[in-house]
Amino acid sequence: MSEFPAFPPGFVFGAATASYQIEGAAQEDGRGPSIWDTYSHTPGRTDGGDTGDVACDHYHRYPEDIALLRDLGVESYRFSIAWPRIQPDGSGPANQKGLDFYSRLVDSLLEAGIEPAATLYHWDLPQALEDRGGWRVRETAERFGEYASIVAEHLGDRVPRWITLNEPWCSAFLGYSVGRHAPGAKEGTGALAAAHHLLVGHGLAMNALRAAGVREAGITLNLDRNVPATESDADLAAVVRADTQHNLVWTEPILAGRYPATDEETWGELITAQDFRREGDLELISQPLDFLGINYYRPIVVAAAPYREADPALRVATDNRYTETEYPGVRRTAMGWPVVPESFTDLLTALKRTYGDALPPVHITENGSAEFDTVGPDGAVRDADRVSYLQSHLTALKAAMDAGVDVRGYYVWSLLDNFEWALGYAKRFGIIRVDYDTQERTPKDSYRWYQQLIAAHRS
Ligand code: IFM
């Protein structure tokens, strides 16, 4: 086992996907339209006009995908449930055919000896709710709580691990401020209201999961390791704003039951003049978690950027109050993301230093890389860069655990090449290649590597 980092007994190895990125069958069995259907079908929004209409056709091919998971040897599979399959217009009674699909998926996983880990929301909001205001309005959080109850009642006995939201930062800020994700809005307070209502929705979903008696419930955040470009006052102040928007806006209410002390400094009257925070919200949001899910990919070097007073949308967006600059001298993935495994260790140990015993056990619910894979004449898929990324990041994870961070599991992103949102199908994150013309699946070298790592922990 020498080439592999060694994890303690009971550590969970898994693989992750998300509904809109792999399922396809966008109009089947009563599924309603989501904001990602609308967004991807709007000309100019996604690279090449790609949509999730067919994706990996997992809706029909899930038995084959579960067989690949079983051969891989993972203990757990993280997938997400498409809200518009359960409630096509976001409210009211459940669509039985939608529930049946996830019931079949869960039963097949259990038969294969794989623990299901379900995410309730990985960005596919029913379009009907967006038409009524989306995450800008509190009603969406309330509907989310109802949807969570329906799903938890039907699947709670068979799914041991539940994640309320995946990366709410993307939903709020990419969706309502930067406009690079659905619904593609560029607003000021819209994004801040969305962030708060996502947190309220998380709290209501936690209540629903607790009422159904599920074994473990938590949330997944994509926290950032923000590194100042220089030690200048301006760049250090930009890091405070970046930390507030990317990290503290979530971790402070969830783990400490308070709003970030730096939110006024970061957003000024856009936050102070708001009225979406209500009494009792912090108690709801900060209820105990069984685990915190963390998705990690890369560090971000932050430099101050000129402030554009004229555009309130950009005042809350990532791209304006600070600029993400180059990370010199390191390899970059196909996403252009710098490969800096130590920053994974730093992120986790810093979180532990900040929150101490208030930090629940952690699951790494996503980690992986998009690479330029090579397909040989024999059809084999060579992805040495991904193997190296996984090896170095699992080693960095183990270093954080050795430094005292309680990490219980790791899910590679992703099981399959899939629809990478606005970037379409050109970016491949899978440890299994998908030929989108034939839907043929081919395990890559990284799949074999991960399979051996898992096997080494079992022997
Ligand atoms: O593909 C996404 C996923 O949906 C959420 N986390 C980051 C991944 C890679 O960009």
Side-chain angles (χ1 to χ4, degrees):
M1 203 157 103
S2 56
E3 69 169 294
F4 300 123
F7 289 87
F11 188 84
V12 174
F13 291 104
T17 63
S19 47
Y20 191 72
Q21 294 181 273
I22 64 164
E23 284 179 359
Q27 294 182 6
E28 219 163 303
D29 289 342
R31 178 186 178 279
S34 78
I35 54 174
W36 270 98
D37 295 281
T38 308
Y39 187 82
S40 65
H41 279 270
T42 305
R45 289 300 205 175
T46 64
D47 279 9
D50 288 349
T51 74
D53 287 1
V54 178
C56 308
D57 195 29
H58 170 80
Y59 192 78
H60 300 112
R61 291 169 196 263
Y62 72 90
E64 182 184 351
D65 295 335
I66 292 176
L68 286 161
L69 282 162
R70 195 192 48 229
D71 289 352
L72 181 59
V74 286
E75 283 104 12
S76 181
Y77 170 55
R78 175 182 175 228
F79 61 96
S80 78
I81 295 173
W83 186 351
R85 285 199 195 282
I86 308 300
Q87 291 175 299
D89 65 2
S91 59
N95 168 33
Q96 191 57 45
K97 286 187 172 168
L99 284 172
D100 289 347
F101 168 67
Y102 293 107
S103 197
R104 287 196 299 278
L105 178 70
V106 164
D107 287 344
S108 307
L109 286 165
L110 293 171
E111 274 162 34
I114 299 165
E115 279 198 341
T119 305
L120 286 167
Y121 185 72
H122 198 125
W123 310 349
D124 35 9
L125 183 72
Q127 180 62 44
L129 292 183
E130 178 57 31
D131 296 342
R132 297 213 290 274
W135 288 108
R136 302 171 193 86
V137 301
R138 201 176 182 92
E139 188 209 334
T140 297
E142 286 157 5
R143 295 293 83 78
F144 183 61
E146 290 161 12
Y147 151 72
S149 292
I150 295 173
V151 175
E153 273 163 31
H154 282 81
L155 300 174
D157 55 336
R158 286 169 287 160
V159 176
R161 184 166 302 127
W162 289 86
I163 294 161
T164 55
L165 303 175
N166 178 72
E167 301 184 2
W169 179 84
C170 296
S171 303
F173 293 99
L174 291 183
Y176 291 93
S177 170
V178 182
R180 220 163 47 222
H181 273 193
K186 293 191 175 203
E187 298 169 10
T189 44
L192 297 175
H196 186 68
H197 295 137
L198 282 153
L199 285 166
V200 172
H202 155 73
L204 294 172
M206 286 295 289
N207 285 348
L209 293 167
R210 294 293 183 220
V214 308
R215 192 184 82 190
E216 287 176 40
I219 184 171
T220 281
L221 304 175
N222 54 327
L223 300 177
D224 271 350
R225 181 77 186 149
N226 295 305
V227 181
T230 72
E231 292 301 306
S232 72
D233 288 350
D235 285 353
L236 292 173
V239 166
V240 170
R241 294 193 295 270
D243 275 343
T244 304
Q245 188 212 93
H246 281 270
N247 303 335
L248 302 178
V249 69
W250 316 110
T251 56
E252 286 291 280
I254 293 171
L255 299 179
R258 60 185 176 230
Y259 298 113
T262 46
D263 60 1
E264 197 174 334
E265 175 183 345
T266 303
W267 291 305
E269 79 284 358
L270 290 177
I271 196 82
T272 51
Q274 53 72 34
D275 62 357
F276 41 76
R277 291 174 175 174
R278 299 217 184 134
E279 218 180 310
D281 283 356
L282 282 174
E283 287 71 35
L284 178 68
I285 296 164
S286 64
Q287 60 186 289
L289 301 175
D290 297 313
F291 66 91
L292 175 66
I294 294 180
N295 294 351
Y296 174 83
Y297 290 90
R298 54 153 173 176
I300 291 182
V301 176
V302 174
Y307 174 63
R308 277 177 273 164
E309 186 69 47
D311 190 341
L314 290 172
R315 287 182 61 184
V316 296
T318 321
D319 306 347
N320 184 54
R321 296 297 294 266
Y322 61 95
T323 303
E324 297 172 21
T325 62
E326 298 294 301
Y327 207 100
V330 302
R331 188 180 80 77
R332 288 170 176 275
T333 69
M335 296 288 279
W337 294 350
V339 179
V340 189
E342 315 80 81
S343 100
F344 190 15
T345 315
D346 294 346
L347 173 78
L348 293 167
T349 52
L351 199 61
K352 179 71 189 170
R353 270 197 307 280
T354 305
Y355 292 105
D357 292 342
L359 181 67
V362 169
H363 276 276
I364 303 306
T365 38
E366 285 180 29
N367 174 244
S369 66
E371 305 290 355
F372 299 104
D373 304 334
T374 317
V375 185
D378 55 352
V381 187
R382 304 287 175 227
D383 61 340
D385 284 338
R386 184 174 292 103
V387 170
S388 150
Y389 182 98
L390 295 177
Q391 160 100 41
S392 59
H393 283 76
L394 278 156
T395 303
L397 174 61
K398 181 62 178 24
M401 293 167 69
D402 291 343
V405 186
D406 180 4
V407 184
R408 305 279 174 92
Y410 174 92
Y411 293 79
V412 69
W413 183 269
S414 177
L415 179 70
L416 303 168
D417 288 339
N418 59 49
F419 176 74
E420 178 54 23
W421 307 111
L423 300 176
Y425 293 100
K427 302 290 182 233
R428 292 179 177 269
F429 273 91
I431 58 171
I432 297 173
R433 184 174 180 88
V434 176
D435 178 327
Y436 295 112
D437 293 330
T438 63
Q439 291 295 345
E440 188 187 353
R441 274 78 162 135
T442 307
K444 306 181 187 179
D445 284 353
S446 55
Y447 174 99
R448 309 273 173 228
W449 180 88
Y450 194 43
Q451 187 179 45
Q452 285 165 20
L453 176 137
I454 297 168
H457 282 80
R458 295 234 170 109
S459 55

